[in-house]
């Protein structure tokens, strides 16, 4: 029997491409690389892309004759030969459509051997491997793909893949000549891939660019694929569409598992026991967390799909996303996981009651309203305040708002320092941010008694407590005489009548020159995806409040004697609305 060996020239060709890709990944970074791919990219567009996208890997397609040959190719390039592999659904389907083959014939595997960037950044070479035995019917595919290099690309991972941000990044790429070129959702790793062809004058050997977003973003993907190459479109029989719909629905129906997996991960103290730099075995993590090793491994593998944990040869490692659930992480989101996996998770079990009656499901489940329930339980009250602070990223740009900066820059000799009044300011997170950024400003915080004490400790620790006064009370107690009033994530807790009442209290306290800043999420008027739409359901279920559009807020402000001057975006789909007291018409002099 004669054994036919693979063509060594072709194997050397694949090794050269793999070595070049690894070298490219080691030498480049996002800020320098993006203008090479998109000539003319600069200014705000470059800042937006580089700020949201991290250069993650260079990808290429190899055609080893067997698994041992692939390991030898990796070894020849100094890459980890034991890198785990997964099925590559996206590339398999692209190859099948391009070459008119049955996807079942094409066992495309994906491996990501680790490579480090110039400053030690964790990156990878993304290797797609299609096994092509000698003299098999797959050799024409290999020959064609080696020449065309269709799957060679540079990939950027989106740090926080919110739907609006993802669409905005796609729009920037389109403005600078990138054309949609397919993509897909890989259920094996729960990730969405959007491919683009870069302009012909790109100063780079890679002709394709990939945006990678963790999670299922198939609404954005569908819009992206409307502009793809005809070869990438599904067949006319409707079969793939029906399968896609079933997979999508199944993914949606299991969303509760995701919430509880992250909540259990937090409650068990796993995030605090794990490290972002070194992997640990499930058996070693089970001891300090008092968990069952095999069951813990099951949970950790699920969290790998979510991106909170990474699985490596040595065990499981905490990712940057998972580190947000550590207690000692600045801006930790641990309280949110405990709230959404605890009281709010229970209340959503009564969502049908809220939809039928218009009354909060929380009241039905717990026998009292959200605020009274938390006020009676100091532990829950503290957790709720911490969870509000955990979303503080939305108002981090607020100290730079023109209203705040103008108040801070008022001439010192002309008047006493300006005062910012934070109405229902929680534990003082926002007010502390403003006072820290502007040492000349003074603050007043109005809150419930227990929250006032928490705010006092926080602002003292931040070094600005001496510039702040505290008022215990309700909305009727809004202190007069301030220069800037702030209502952050307050109005969405209430119905329209209560909102008008709150705004009237503010308007009565505001001097004629004062400004009001309202921080809320705004419902989109065009039906586009938004966190505000999700939180609108949350408010219905838990507090009986609602999210609103900018026009809706303008009407409420007008009813309270306030004019909406304008609004501007903040992170996490939030906005800051700027209002002032309505001008009082000058009296018309009477004629004798």
């Amino acid at each position: 029997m004669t054994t036919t060996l693979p063509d060594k020239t072709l194997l050397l060709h694949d090794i050269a491409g793999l070595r070049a890709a690894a070298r490219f990944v080691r030498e480049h970074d996002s800020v320098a690389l993006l203008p090479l791919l998109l000539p003319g990219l600069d200014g705000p567009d470059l800042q937006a892309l580089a700020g949201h996208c991290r250069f993650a890997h260079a990808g290429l397609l190899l055609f080893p004759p067997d698994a041992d040959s692939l390991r030898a190719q990796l070894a020849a390039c100094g890459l980890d030969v034991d890198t785990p592999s997964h099925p590559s659904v996206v590339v398999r389907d692209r190859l099948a459509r391009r070459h008119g083959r049955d996807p079942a014939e094409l066992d495309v595997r994906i491996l990501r051997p680790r490579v480090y960037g110039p400053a030690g950044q964790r990156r990878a070479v993304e290797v797609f491997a299609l096994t092509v035995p000698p003299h098999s019917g797959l050799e024409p595919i290999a020959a064609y793909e080696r020449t065309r290099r269709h799957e060679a690309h540079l990939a950027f991972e989106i740090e926080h893949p919110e739907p609006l941000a993802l669409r905005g990044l796609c729009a920037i790429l389109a403005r600078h000549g990138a054309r949609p070129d397919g993509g897909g959702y890989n259920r094996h790793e729960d990730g969405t891939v959007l491919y683009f062809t870069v302009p012909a004058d790109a100063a780079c050997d890679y002709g394709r660019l990939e945006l990678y977003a963790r999670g299922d973003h198939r609404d954005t993907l569908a819009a992206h694929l409307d502009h793809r190459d005809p070869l990438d479109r599904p067949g006319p029989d409707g079969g793939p569409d029906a399968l896609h719909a079933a997979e999508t629905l199944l993914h949606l129906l299991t969303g509760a598992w995701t919430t509880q997996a992250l909540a259990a991960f937090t409650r068990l103290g796993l995030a605090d026991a794990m490290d972002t730099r070194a992997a640990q075995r499930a058996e070693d993590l089970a001891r300090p967390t008092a968990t069952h090793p095999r069951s813990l491994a099951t949970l950790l593998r699920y969290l790998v799909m979510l991106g909170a944990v990474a699985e490596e040869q040595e065990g499981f490692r905490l990712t940057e996303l998972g580190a947000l659930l550590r207690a000692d992480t600045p801006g930790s989101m641990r309280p949110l996981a405990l709230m959404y996996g605890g009281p709010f998770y229970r209340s959503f079990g009564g969502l049908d009651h809220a939809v039928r009656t218009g009354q909060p499901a929380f009241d039905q489940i717990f026998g009292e309203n959200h605020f009274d329930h938390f006020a009676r339980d100091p532990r829950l009250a503290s957790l709720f305040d911490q969870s509000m602070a955990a979303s503080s990223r939305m108002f981090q740009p607020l100290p730079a708002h023109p209203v705040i900066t103008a108040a801070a820059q008022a001439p010192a000799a002309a008047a006493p320092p300006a005062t910012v009044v934070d109405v229902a300011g929680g534990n003082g997170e926002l007010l502390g941010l403003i006072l820290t950024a502007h040492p000349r400003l003074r603050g007043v915080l109005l809150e419930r008694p227990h929250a006032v004490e928490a705010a006092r400790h926080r602002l003292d620790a931040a070094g600005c407590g001496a510039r702040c006064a505290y008022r215990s009370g309700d909305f009727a107690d809004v202190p007069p005489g301030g220069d800037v009033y702030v209502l952050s994530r307050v109005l969405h807790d209430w119905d329209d009548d209560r909102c008008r009442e709150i705004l009237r209290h503010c308007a009565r306290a505001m001097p004629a020159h004062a400004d009001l800043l309202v921080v809320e999420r705004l419902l989109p008027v065009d039906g586009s995806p938004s966190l505000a739409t999700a939180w609108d359901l949350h408010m219905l279920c838990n507090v009986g409040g609602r999210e609103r559009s900018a026009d809706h807020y303008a009407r409420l402000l007008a009813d309270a004697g306030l004019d909406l001057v304008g609004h501007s975006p903040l992170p996490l789909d939030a906005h800051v609305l700027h209002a002032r007291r309505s001008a009082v018409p000058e009296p018309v002099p009477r004629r004798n």
Side-chain angles (χ1 to χ4, degrees), residues 162 333 336 340 388 390-395 487-492 518-524 530-536 538-539 546-550 553 570-577:
E162 300 163 8
M333 299 181 77
L336 284 174
Y340 295 152
M388 293 291 286
S391 297
S392 63
R393 289 172 180 82
M394 71 166 54
F395 49 66
L487 280 171
S488 177
R489 297 174 297 173
V490 171
L491 297 181
H492 72 164
V518 177
V519 177
E520 295 288 357
R521 289 189 171 98
L522 298 182
L523 287 173
S530 168
L531 289 175
T533 305
W535 256 258
D536 199 22
H538 173 70
M539 305 313 292
R546 60 187 297 183
E547 306 294 346
R548 299 169 173 89
S549 67
Y553 278 118
L570 295 172
L572 302 180
D573 275 6
H575 282 74
V576 53
L577 296 93

Side-chain angles (χ1 to χ4, degrees), residues 162-463:
E162 300 163 8
L164 288 180
L166 185 53
R167 293 195 179 199
L169 296 174
C170 291
I172 293 174
L173 291 175
R175 281 202 299 273
H176 292 275
R179 293 185 297 104
D181 187 33
Y185 170 70
N186 190 336
R187 60 185 175 85
H188 297 286
E189 59 182 37
D190 190 31
T192 303
V193 174
L194 308 175
Y195 286 121
F196 297 82
T197 301
V198 301
D201 58 345
C204 186
D205 289 336
Y206 289 85
R208 299 176 70 237
L209 179 152
E210 170 195 323
L211 288 185
Y212 177 79
R214 291 191 179 276
D216 187 346
H217 300 276
R218 279 185 268 191
D219 287 342
T220 302
L221 177 65
H224 177 78
L225 296 184
D226 282 342
H227 305 284
R228 62 187 157 174
D229 187 282
L231 287 173
D232 274 335
R233 292 180 183 167
D237 60 358
D241 288 339
L243 179 59
H244 166 78
E247 287 184 356
T248 299
L249 184 58
L250 191 59
H251 182 79
L252 295 172
L253 288 170
T254 58
W257 303 355
T258 296
T259 303
Q260 281 304 325
L262 291 168
F265 183 64
T266 305
R267 286 191 294 263
L268 293 168
L270 284 160
D272 298 292
M274 295 180 70
D275 195 337
T276 57
R277 295 161 297 181
Q280 298 164 270
R281 299 183 310 156
E283 294 83 354
D284 297 330
L285 287 167
R287 284 190 289 272
T289 57
T291 53
H292 182 255
R294 185 178 63 79
S295 303
L296 175 58
T298 300
L299 171 62
L300 291 171
R301 281 193 296 271
Y302 185 85
L303 291 163
V304 168
M305 287 202 314
L306 303 181
V309 171
E311 186 171 11
E312 299 176 354
Q313 184 178 3
E314 302 85 359
F316 297 95
R317 177 180 56 80
L318 192 66
T319 66
E320 292 181 8
L321 185 150
L324 288 172
L325 296 174
R326 291 177 62 101
D328 60 358
T329 296
S332 170
M333 299 181 77
R334 181 179 183 275
L336 284 174
L338 297 176
M339 286 297 300
Y340 295 152
F344 290 149
Y345 188 87
R346 288 183 59 192
S347 63
F348 259 94
L351 178 60
D352 51 347
H353 168 80
V355 173
R356 278 198 305 266
T357 66
Q359 300 301 313
F362 192 101
D363 298 24
Q364 183 203 35
I365 299 293
F366 292 97
E368 59 187 334
N369 71 60
H370 157 280
F371 296 106
D372 290 343
H373 185 73
F374 287 172
R376 287 195 309 101
D377 186 332
R379 184 189 62 83
L380 269 181
S382 175
L383 182 61
F384 177 70
D385 288 338
Q386 292 172 41
S387 71
M388 293 291 286
S391 297
S392 63
R393 289 172 180 82
M394 71 166 54
F395 49 66
Q396 283 177 348
L398 205 58
H401 191 282
V403 163
I404 301 289
T405 56
Q409 294 167 4
T419 299
V420 177
V421 180
D422 195 354
V423 179
N427 66 356
E429 183 83 17
L430 173 55
L431 187 56
L433 193 68
I434 293 172
L435 297 182
T436 300
H438 301 289
R440 290 195 61 246
L441 289 177
R442 301 189 66 82
V444 178
L445 184 134
L446 172 69
E447 252 297 358
R448 298 155 295 165
H450 81 273
V452 164
E453 288 309 307
R456 191 187 303 274
H457 290 306
R458 175 176 288 274
L459 291 167
D460 285 344

Side-chain angles (χ1 to χ4, degrees), residues 101-115:
R101 308 296 284 261
D102 182 351
E105 297 180 72
L106 308 176
D107 181 20
V108 182
R109 308 294 294 183
I110 182 171
L111 307 86
R112 294 192 180 93
R114 186 181 301 167
V115 174

Side-chain angles (χ1 to χ4, degrees), residues 19-105:
R19 185 176 288 119
R23 184 171 59 250
F24 192 95
V25 172
R26 291 188 181 103
E27 295 174 353
H28 290 81
D29 60 47
S30 300
V31 176
L33 184 53
L34 284 165
L36 298 180
L37 293 167
L38 304 168
L41 178 68
D42 58 11
D45 281 354
L46 174 57
Q47 292 175 10
L49 283 175
H52 286 83
C53 302
R54 175 181 62 84
F55 178 39
H57 66 254
L60 75 167
L61 178 58
L62 302 181
F63 305 93
D66 51 47
D68 287 341
S69 295
L70 176 59
R71 291 169 61 87
Q73 289 174 326
L74 294 171
C77 298
L79 301 172
D80 184 2
V81 299
D82 294 318
T83 302
S85 69
H86 308 278
S88 177
V89 176
V90 176
V91 173
R92 179 202 67 189
D93 291 350
R94 284 172 61 86
L95 288 174
R97 287 191 289 269
R98 199 149 55 229
H99 296 277
R101 308 296 284 261
D102 182 351
E105 297 180 72

